[in-house]
Amino acid sequence: MAIDAFLTNARLADGRLVDIGIADGRIATLGDNEAASLPNSVPILNIGGDLALPGLVDGHLHLDKTLMGLPWMPHAAGPSRMSRIETDKKILPHLPVSTEERAGNLIRECVTRGTAHLRTHVDIDRESRLAKLDGVLAAREKHHGQVSMQIVAFPQSGVMRCPGVLDLLDAAVRGGADLVGGIDPLEIDRDPKGQLDGIFAIAERHGVGLDIHLHEPGEMGLFNVQEICARTHALGLGGKVTISHGFCLGQVTERQAGAAAELMATAGVALVTHGAGGLTLPPVAMLRAAGVLVFAGNDDIRDTWSPYGTGDLLERAAIIGWKGDFRRDDEVDTAFDLVSAAGARALGIVDYGIAVGASATLFTIPASGVPEAVAAHPPRKLVLFNGKIVARNGVVLPAPIPIA
Ligand SMILES: [Zn+2]
């Protein structure tokens, strides 16, 4: 096979120093001194012993809400979820920068930090209808050579309390959204059957998955976990349904959480977490041990919901590890798995990882191994997407370029 380029002296997570041969955007060879055996004409980039890790996967973002790229704005939302929903509606339509542009600003921040795949929720409501979806779709198109994106049609303001939103969600899926969203069927809608039946019907109709925001506490949340698992099982949607947050799983008794984990594992319902401030972290280790696919994302990054965040998934893994008291190296490895391989499985990304045959989608970082990369999260030096350089030393290139 004709090798297009080599990354030499790359450290793998297991500590080995290897040369990575790239052909047609894929990892074609991986081994000791591979580059030395090939003609001098093949371009070589010496990584100098830095760690090479697979492109990161952000499983939960809100690209349409970010204020990235705008001058700093004082945080205006109140303490409740409803006040934040209302603040969004007051601020976002009047910003001087479009949804497409703001989403693009945040995508590029993520790309410079090694994110290769992401799932963003996009607000669908009666006021903005599909406008935010159109903006994020345009941003996706513009950045398709740098990152892969899934879009969830997200009923931020509710479904049953806002007549017409179910039709808008259906239209959003027809218009390019990849999954249907949902939100707190009891707390926001006070009609769990109505909302869940409605959104699962859309998913079934169009053959797409679901990703449902579930902030509801304790047994209220647990009730909806059970309802979501029951519908997933009944409709054969296992592997295509995610619960976002699921704070309730960290608030109920161990026995209740264990039973919920078993239900989720059997139904094929995944969980995405971000280690939210001020709220409980779901029991990540217990859920994984029970067979639940748990992955992670950044959620709100510098927006009307939260002033914090940069898009750095290694920093996010560190926050989750800190919050979950993950201290040993194997526990920090778990935090990394949430923002890499586990996320890739959840998003259905094939050919993932640093392995022969996988896509050459990776980044390099000056760290001895995964635990140090997570704990210290130093800047990424080189970011490749499908074998091409998309960012270098914290700067996104205007267009992807081959290694030369
Ligand atoms: Zn969210």
Side-chain angles (χ1 to χ4, degrees):
M1 181 187 302
I3 302 289
D4 300 325
F6 270 107
L7 297 179
T8 59
N9 288 310
R11 188 173 303 284
L12 301 183
D14 64 11
R16 278 185 300 150
L17 268 182
V18 297
D19 295 343
I20 301 174
I22 297 168
D24 288 334
R26 299 190 164 270
I27 297 175
T29 63
L30 194 64
D32 203 14
N33 268 322
E34 293 274 339
S37 61
L38 272 134
N40 293 337
S41 56
V42 177
I44 286 177
L45 189 57
N46 189 339
I47 300 307
D50 282 347
L51 187 64
L53 293 172
L56 300 169
V57 183
D58 200 319
H60 188 120
L61 274 172
H62 291 269
L63 291 178
D64 59 328
K65 293 186 196 291
T66 192
L67 304 172
M68 199 61 86
L70 288 164
W72 187 262
M73 286 169 64
H75 194 64
S80 72
R81 189 156 293 110
M82 260 310 157
S83 78
R84 292 169 194 159
I85 292 171
E86 293 311 318
T87 304
D88 263 0
K89 290 182 181 172
K90 279 187 212 129
I91 291 180
L92 295 182
H94 307 294
L95 292 174
V97 176
S98 69
T99 303
E100 177 188 346
E101 229 174 308
R102 287 182 293 106
N105 292 341
L106 181 49
I107 290 169
R108 291 189 296 279
E109 292 293 327
C110 295
V111 168
T112 62
R113 292 166 174 87
T115 298
H117 310 282
L118 63 88
R119 177 185 286 179
T120 183
H121 295 251
V122 175
D123 288 6
I124 304 292
D125 56 36
R126 289 193 299 191
E127 291 81 7
S128 66
R129 300 178 69 82
L130 305 188
K132 291 169 182 167
L133 173 66
D134 292 340
V136 173
L137 281 168
R140 171 161 79 178
E141 178 58 34
K142 204 167 169 182
H143 295 84
H144 76 274
Q146 295 156 317
V147 70
S148 85
M149 268 172 68
Q150 289 184 355
I151 299 175
V152 185
F154 174 45
Q156 170 75 82
S157 304
V159 179
M160 307 315 285
R161 66 186 283 274
C162 310
V165 163
L166 272 177
D167 291 336
L168 288 170
L169 293 174
D170 193 279
V173 171
R174 279 182 276 123
D178 305 282
L179 298 101
V180 192
I183 183 166
D184 299 334
L186 268 162
E187 203 172 51
I188 298 261
D189 268 353
R190 307 188 74 83
D191 182 0
K193 185 170 178 353
Q195 179 183 138
L196 293 176
D197 283 352
I199 61 175
F200 272 87
I202 296 170
E204 197 188 13
R205 199 150 54 233
H206 299 290
V208 298
L210 297 109
D211 190 327
I212 302 163
H213 276 68
L214 202 61
H215 314 89
E216 294 167 343
E219 298 200 4
M220 188 199 289
L222 202 57
F223 171 86
N224 279 318
V225 170
Q226 293 159 355
E227 291 294 307
I228 289 165
C229 289
R231 284 168 177 78
T232 302
H233 184 73
L235 296 175
L237 286 171
K240 295 176 84 173
V241 178
T242 300
I243 291 175
S244 280
H245 308 311
F247 300 124
C248 62
L249 295 165
Q251 298 165 339
V252 294
T253 66
E254 251 174 68
R255 179 185 269 190
Q256 285 173 312
E262 230 181 279
L263 264 186
M264 290 172 73
T266 306
V269 173
L271 180 88
V272 64
T273 186
H274 75 290
L279 288 156
T280 49
L281 183 71
V284 172
M286 182 280 278
L287 289 161
R288 283 166 59 100
V292 179
L293 178 54
V294 183
F295 61 112
N298 270 304
D299 202 5
D300 296 288
I301 300 172
R302 231 207 105 186
D303 61 18
T304 55
W305 288 63
S306 169
Y308 298 108
T310 59
D312 189 347
L313 278 168
L314 292 180
E315 181 184 33
R316 178 58 51 189
I319 289 168
I320 292 169
W322 177 79
K323 188 148 176 139
D325 204 22
F326 300 175
R327 290 169 192 263
R328 294 191 320 266
D329 276 9
D330 63 307
E331 294 173 315
V332 185
D333 283 342
T334 295
F336 178 72
D337 189 60
L338 302 182
V339 297
S340 54
R345 280 200 300 284
L347 269 62
I349 293 150
V350 291
D351 307 337
Y352 183 83
I354 308 285
V356 171
S359 165
T361 294
L362 55 89
F363 66 93
T364 69
I365 183 168
S368 60
V370 165
E372 187 184 4
V374 169
H377 43 273
R380 310 316 98 97
K381 281 196 187 164
L382 183 74
V383 183
L384 299 190
F385 186 73
N386 292 335
K388 290 194 172 153
I389 302 173
V390 291
R392 211 168 195 166
N393 298 321
V395 180
V396 174
L397 305 185
I401 57 167
I403 297 166

